[in-house]
Amino acid sequence: MMARILVLDLNPMPTCPDLSIAYLVTPLRTAGFQVDLQPLVSKPAPPSLTHPADKLQAGQVELNLATLQTYLEHTQPALILVPNYLNHYAVIQGLAKCAQQLQLPLILGGACFNTASIEDLPLWLNIQGVSAVFVGAADWVIVDLIETALNKQDLSLWPGIYQNQYDNLELENITAPPLQELELLPIPDLSDFSWQHYPLASIPILTGRTTSLDDQQSVYSPRPVQAVLDELSIQAEQYQRKRFIFLDSSLNTNLAMWHGLIDKIQPIVPHCQWLATIYFDGENPLGLDFNTLVAARAAGLRHLNINLETSQILKQGKLSNTAIEAHRELVADAYQAGLSVRCLVKNSQALNNLADLPNTNDWVLRKLVETELKTSKPPVNTQLVNLPANKPPLKSFWQHYKPTLLMHKTHQTTEVNSLV
């Protein structure tokens, strides 16, 4: 039997599995490694009369820096892998000290969402006990990386690996290439998540990858629409869930995927619901017209995160009225289509001053007040305002107009045939 690999999750989220870690766990298990995925919390639990070793036998231990060494001595992993580490410097220091005492290799990085700038690497590489840091997507190389480390061979031969010899820190290395051939990605293993304890948990889905390059450029690699649809069907059956969360920062960047999901997700997983984040630049429709939003609502979309491009909204330090009005119209259309909406502002060079935050906040509040004043009507007879307790509540906009809005959704969206 092959070696045991301990994968530590420093950002455990009880509402959703960590897809980035699942993409690492899956190829390792396929290769025959025993993968032990455990959450590591930063704060120790209250003291208990039960000895940690006894809890280990019962499988009840909560891993933290106080119980970690006992756990490592009991389970004897051959290597520790920590994918999501960037916000946990103090925890990594404690973990590295423990790994060094037990002479265990400790590798940071490898998750598809985690990148570290070259400037930040010395912070991690100078920690005694950290064997290496991998920068990039490691899906295709994670098995080879682990085998190289276990065989005590030279890890620096792999693009994306950075090491510190403690007396000579070298940061010149070959960047890991962008992930290609995404159609070959395996179905991620989400079995480590406690599905039985979280009946409302959603299945995370990623339809493409964006890789940051050394020259500040980004490369986007989409997955085939059919591969995503197959994954939806398989994961829904495997974990008995019909709720999905698409983790893409801009699902409508790939219009083939956006329209393909709208038209085909319900036949694949009937009665499913999903959440998505879309991109809006204030100028181009990008598949966000009212009819398409209605079709998305009919296809199960319930919540929409809207990514706003600050370079379009803030031009030369001034608000773009054209972009603002387009955004206002988009939010109104989404609301009328029956979607809940949240707006996210992408941090870019156009919004890089702390003073922008209160200014933006003041502007949003002012616009909310203006909108409320425009839409509000003079109060009518108070007898009409104070409705009887037994009077049924008024229908929401969506409930009232749902039959009309869905009446014309009897065909595929206009662009799907040419895109999918």
Side-chain angles (χ1 to χ4, degrees), residues 9 67 134 335:
D9 182 3
T67 61
F134 182 86
Y335 174 74

Side-chain angles (χ1 to χ4, degrees), residues 82-357:
V82 185
N84 45 14
Y85 62 95
L86 292 179
N87 297 322
H88 302 276
Y89 188 78
V91 174
I92 293 298
Q93 284 181 310
L95 171 60
K97 181 180 179 180
C98 187
Q100 187 178 39
Q101 291 175 347
L102 298 176
Q103 297 183 338
L104 290 175
L106 170 61
I107 298 179
L108 306 181
C112 62
F113 304 122
N114 283 358
T115 59
S117 66
I118 298 299
E119 293 79 7
D120 293 335
L121 281 173
L123 294 174
W124 307 100
L125 293 173
N126 283 323
I127 299 177
Q128 296 284 334
V130 172
S131 305
V133 174
F134 182 86
V135 179
D139 303 58
W140 299 139
V141 299
I142 185 62
V143 173
D144 297 320
L145 285 175
I146 297 302
E147 290 179 342
T148 301
L150 294 179
N151 293 329
K152 302 186 184 304
Q153 297 173 344
D154 187 6
L155 276 172
S156 64
L157 297 177
W158 292 102
I161 278 286
Y162 294 85
Q163 293 178 288
N164 186 2
Q165 303 303 324
Y166 305 116
D167 57 346
N168 184 22
L169 180 60
E170 293 288 343
L171 293 182
E172 294 183 2
N173 199 352
I174 302 175
T175 303
L179 205 64
Q180 301 295 324
E181 298 181 312
L182 299 189
E183 69 277 5
L184 301 179
L185 282 173
I187 302 297
D189 185 353
L190 307 176
S191 60
D192 296 283
F193 184 75
S194 299
W195 294 101
Q196 68 278 12
H197 296 147
Y198 302 99
L200 298 180
S202 301
I203 296 175
I205 302 291
L206 196 65
T207 70
R209 301 281 186 92
T210 300
T211 303
S212 299
L213 304 179
D214 293 338
D215 56 0
Q216 305 299 321
Q217 299 298 314
S218 297
V219 175
Y220 175 75
S221 302
R223 296 177 61 196
V225 175
Q226 190 57 50
V228 174
L229 294 174
D230 291 342
E231 180 177 330
L232 291 169
S233 176
I234 293 172
Q235 299 292 62
E237 176 67 23
Q238 175 70 25
Y239 304 109
Q240 292 298 296
R241 288 291 189 276
K242 292 191 175 185
R243 296 165 62 96
F244 302 101
I245 174 172
F246 289 92
L247 302 179
D248 306 80
S249 60
S250 50
L251 185 60
N252 63 321
T253 297
N254 181 0
L255 287 177
M257 188 67 65
W258 173 241
H259 288 285
L261 290 173
I262 291 174
D263 291 322
K264 298 184 178 182
I265 191 172
Q266 283 298 326
I268 294 295
V269 185
H271 311 297
C272 71
Q273 296 182 4
W274 45 292
L275 176 153
T277 300
I278 53 90
Y279 171 75
F280 177 71
D281 63 5
E283 295 182 350
N284 303 300
L286 299 174
L288 300 177
D289 58 279
F290 177 67
N291 290 333
T292 302
L293 293 176
V294 170
R297 177 58 165 79
L301 180 63
R302 292 297 180 266
H303 179 79
L304 201 62
N305 289 327
I306 302 177
N307 264 332
L308 303 178
E309 177 54 62
T310 53
S311 62
Q312 295 292 336
I313 297 175
L314 296 173
K315 293 184 176 180
Q316 297 181 350
K318 297 181 180 180
L319 292 169
S320 170
N321 290 330
T322 302
I324 294 304
E325 290 305 318
H327 172 246
R328 190 199 307 274
E329 182 179 352
L330 171 60
V331 173
D333 286 348
Y335 174 74
Q336 291 183 15
L339 303 172
S340 63
V341 179
R342 181 173 66 171
C343 295
L344 310 171
V345 178
K346 295 173 64 177
N347 187 19
S348 67
Q349 294 180 356
L351 187 65
N352 56 9
N353 193 316
L354 287 178
D356 289 330
L357 296 179

Side-chain angles (χ1 to χ4, degrees), residues 40-50 52 55 60-68:
L40 179 68
V41 297
S42 56
K43 295 182 179 180
S48 173
L49 297 178
T50 307
K55 286 189 174 183
Q60 300 172 347
V61 67
E62 181 185 68
L63 275 189
N64 52 60
L65 292 180
T67 61
L68 181 60

Side-chain angles (χ1 to χ4, degrees), residues 367-385:
K367 289 300 178 183
L368 286 175
V369 172
E370 292 176 0
T371 303
E372 182 65 23
L373 291 176
K374 289 180 180 179
T375 58
S376 62
K377 297 180 180 180
V380 294
N381 192 320
T382 55
Q383 293 181 353
L384 297 178
V385 176

